[in-house]
Amino acid sequence: MTRSIQLLAGLLASASFATIAQAGEVSGHVSDATGTRALQSAAVRIVELNRTAETDRAGSYVFGDVPAGTYTLEARYVGAEVTTQTITVAATGTTSSDFDLTAIGGADILVTGQTANLTSALSRQKAADGVESVLTRDAVGQFPDQNVAESLRRLPGVNILNDQGEGRYVSVRGLDPDLNGTSVNGVRIPAPESDSRSVALDVISSDTIESIEVKKSFTPDMDGDFIGASVEINTTSAFDSKKNRYSVSAEGSYNDYSGKVMPKGAFDFTQKLGDDFGVAGSVSYYKRKFETDNVETGGWHQNDDGVWADSVEYRDYDVERTRINAALSADWRVSDTTKAYVRGNWAQFDDHEYRRRTTLDFGDFEDDGPTAFTANGATFNGADERITVERDIKDRFERQRIRSVSVGSDTDTGTWKFNWMGSYAKSTERENFSVDPTSFRARFRAGTVVDMDYSDKYVPTYSATGASFNTPDAYEFDKTELTTLSDSQDREWAIKADLARTFAGSSGDFTVQAGAKARWRKKSYNFNMNYYDLADDADYTLADVLGKQTYRLVDMGPVASKTGAKAFLQANPGSFELNEYESGLASATDDYSVKEDILAGYALARWDSSTLRVIGGVRVERTHNELNGNLVTDLSDDEEFSFVPVQYKRNYTNWLPSLTVRYSPQQNVVARLAGYKTVVRPKFSQLAPRYTVNEDNEAEFGNPNLKPYQAWNLDAGFEYYFSNNGAISVGAFYKSVKDYTYEQVLRDGAVIDGVAYDQVTIPVNGDRADITGLEASFSQVFSMLPSPFDGLLTQLNYTYTYARGTVLQEGEDGAGNAIDIKRRINLPNSSNSTFNVVLGYEKGPVSLRAAGTFRDKYLDEVGGTVEEDRVVNQHFQLDLSAKYKVTENIRIFADWVNVNNAKYFAYQNLAGAKRVLQYEEYGSTVKFGARVSF
């Protein structure tokens, strides 16, 4: 097997410049003094020539075209002593010089724990071409947090949007997650969800990760498909470590709402098979059970007497999530100048969700309002209007998979560089046989009164009078919607190559570089649903599947059992009739497929000296789309619908210039300036020509003519690195975004493709949005303090973002005529302020950490008016962790996540108050376990 992998890597490397050799070459490796870990992004300088090179992830560096003579080599790394060596370079051949660095004061560089993570991250940040934040694992495979999303929360300008209390989506500089690009080992990862381009990073376990780089500025050799950041995840390589390593961890996870202890286990390794070949891999398994208590309303109304919600939903979630991750890589050092690799990653995320819901529907009171108002609520009397109450159960199982494989080689002779890579990535999300939902309904008239109390702004409570309000057999079967198939698939093939030539000068190096990349992507979504009515002679009520609630906010009344509705459907097929009209209509509406082919090329020039780095160039990306969907017209009067396939094709080209300057007048000072243009293509679900028209001639459209977001960006920053482990940085950024997208509702109708509709909902391009912000961060290991305080460390960062745009909404002039009104809004998902605080202590065998993260409120959905906007409230979460080194090879740990039971609260502003639209509580989670390395 090993020889087969070596043979494959050798064949691949033959396409590279493995045989190129240049006279007067200097090369070597940089590692810590213990020989445990290769040090990436160490700066090696030939002092007399003022030429600088940075080590790669294997700790290697190389200089080409070095004139014969005697020189001083200098190696620098954050937190390490500056080390020098004298070398003599011959007129031909290679001179080797390796460095083993010690920490300031002569001690060993810490390669495990919080200090090691901070040192490594600061070194890579300092060496970066542009504005970048980095997270790394330590030498025993420990990552700062338990998953990728939670770790990213700690970086400057980065925050995470939660789902069911778990961090999932990355927001950079307060911007929408869809404005980021995500890569694993250089492979752009497609999105599993049908309606998004962003990738949920909680799917990827931190046990498979070596580092995460959040690149906030752009150079022409990068994919130009981001405005927030390019999030680049790198898995482990055999050459990351100087020694072979095996690690096993076992963990228990306890959620105080579910009361369950659930398992997590992981195994990872790096193994050299000779001096020039090695493999690295990992596998992890994590199952988690938790509960969520949720309240949602259907929106709020106001008349002269008061304010009320037209519906209130009490939702009881019981969720089981299972994550399985695996990664494997093979690396071969073909020669002193060429490395070849094969890397694969596989992630699976299973989400089994049970949701019991009680809905109080007061929609019939919309015209005249409630029967009466109280000081803090409203009264609804069934004698005035009908009160509808639904009790339903959702039993949904969803599986996401993300997999990628890449193969390529990197050649660096010091004079020539050639890199190439071919890759394939596929993401899927699939449901089969999900009950979503089975609903039971009762309608109450005279004799039933419901009193709503809105005094608690988070949780509206109720009291009801009526003999059968809480009687299970009063709630008769209404419908079952069975998802027989929900299949989202997103796959991409890609190939790229880069070629660079460096010319050595008397005061630095000048490099010209060019490259090309082709990406072939296809995304599709297929949805099939069976809608069941009750057969004429059948009898089915809530009493037949009665369960027990675990809800804590109010008494929901009788609820269905978790599995009873699905079991009843399977056991009694004769009690149901398939509604072919509803089933066919729902199944035809959402289907689409999209092809997106991108052909890109770039050219850049680069100047490097010990103080100045300038990178300028342009990238061009040609995009071809083939968009397929359906025009579905609901002829509801006849319980029929029409179905017409629709296809669009289009092409467009984007030119993306870029200029990046890095100036370091002193070794501990770095100033950066970058100006560039980037694009973000619209969501496939928005582009797809999916058109639905209901019986009232009201239409919802996709928009295949949507333009991509286009952004001109400017970044400026200043970084100061302390003599020991630490740094302070400040930065500013400005983005002018053209053609951002939002959903527009034309309530007075519109003519689309020659057809008039009474009301149209369609995604459209906005005019321009301006985004301005500031970032500041401070990191410090307080090793200069007297014992025991020399173990203290801290990381602080704050980001302010001002992101405003203009949308068109319908209004009236003074004469009552319909006109379009421009309204300035905060961009959706954009928070003004985010900050993170980490306080740590690490000394001897003890490692402690407290981490707090804050995200300001943000606009979640744009409503028809300011009062209809959906806003998500600010969020602060506190996490604690502790580790103890029992021996050199055994560590035990404990984490307390969401110590303060941070809640989710979405609202609309009406009548001078925040009116709840959604509120959730999750409880906290405690994790504990051990890790053994050998």
Side-chain angles (χ1 to χ4, degrees), residues 568-585:
F568 191 95
L569 176 65
Q570 292 172 315
N572 302 278
S575 297
F576 301 92
E577 291 182 352
L578 178 67
N579 187 321
E580 295 184 359
Y581 161 71
E582 294 286 359
S583 302
L585 181 63

Side-chain angles (χ1 to χ4, degrees), residues 667-738:
Q667 292 295 336
N668 59 346
V669 174
V670 177
R672 304 180 193 273
L673 183 65
Y676 52 94
K677 183 181 182 182
T678 53
V679 298
V680 170
R681 296 164 182 87
K683 297 179 183 179
F684 291 123
S685 58
Q686 292 179 326
L687 284 172
R690 299 185 293 180
Y691 309 145
T692 60
V693 185
N694 67 18
E695 69 275 13
D696 296 321
N697 201 35
E698 296 172 343
E700 293 187 14
F701 288 99
N703 189 349
N705 297 310
L706 279 176
K707 301 175 184 178
Y709 292 63
Q710 301 181 70
W712 284 99
N713 309 266
L714 181 66
D715 285 278
F718 174 84
E719 302 159 14
Y720 181 83
Y721 293 84
F722 303 128
S723 57
N724 50 7
N725 286 343
I728 186 170
S729 67
V730 293
F733 56 89
Y734 171 74
K735 300 175 184 292
S736 178
V737 182
K738 179 183 176 184

Side-chain angles (χ1 to χ4, degrees), residues 538-716:
D539 181 32
Y540 183 20
T541 70
L542 178 60
D544 294 314
V545 291
L546 193 63
K548 182 180 179 181
Q549 62 175 286
T550 58
Y551 199 64
R552 297 162 185 82
L553 302 180
V554 300
D555 184 353
M556 295 174 63
V559 298
S561 67
K562 296 179 183 178
T563 60
K566 180 183 287 188
F568 191 95
L569 176 65
Q570 292 172 315
N572 302 278
S575 297
F576 301 92
E577 291 182 352
L578 178 67
N579 187 321
E580 295 184 359
Y581 161 71
E582 294 286 359
S583 302
L585 181 63
S587 299
T589 300
D590 293 331
D591 295 355
Y592 76 89
S593 68
V594 174
K595 287 185 179 181
E596 183 176 83
D597 299 337
I598 302 172
L599 181 62
Y602 75 90
L604 64 82
R606 176 185 181 117
W607 169 260
D608 280 287
S609 71
S610 61
T611 58
L612 181 65
R613 180 183 304 163
V614 180
I615 305 170
V618 64
R619 184 181 186 90
V620 59
E621 295 189 347
R622 174 73 168 173
T623 304
H624 169 73
N625 283 138
E626 294 182 15
L627 312 168
N628 298 279
N630 301 310
L631 171 58
V632 180
T633 304
D634 182 3
L635 309 173
S636 187
D637 290 341
D638 302 319
E639 291 203 347
E640 295 180 356
F641 64 91
S642 64
F643 173 95
V644 179
V646 182
Q647 184 181 72
Y648 281 79
K649 293 183 180 181
R650 68 175 194 169
N651 300 281
Y652 56 91
T653 301
N654 297 104
W655 292 85
L656 310 176
S658 168
L659 178 65
T660 299
V661 178
R662 179 188 182 275
Y663 179 59
S664 180
Q666 303 175 20
Q667 292 295 336
N668 59 346
V669 174
V670 177
R672 304 180 193 273
L673 183 65
Y676 52 94
K677 183 181 182 182
T678 53
V679 298
V680 170
R681 296 164 182 87
K683 297 179 183 179
F684 291 123
S685 58
Q686 292 179 326
L687 284 172
R690 299 185 293 180
Y691 309 145
T692 60
V693 185
N694 67 18
E695 69 275 13
D696 296 321
N697 201 35
E698 296 172 343
E700 293 187 14
F701 288 99
N703 189 349
N705 297 310
L706 279 176
K707 301 175 184 178
Y709 292 63
Q710 301 181 70
W712 284 99
N713 309 266
L714 181 66
D715 285 278

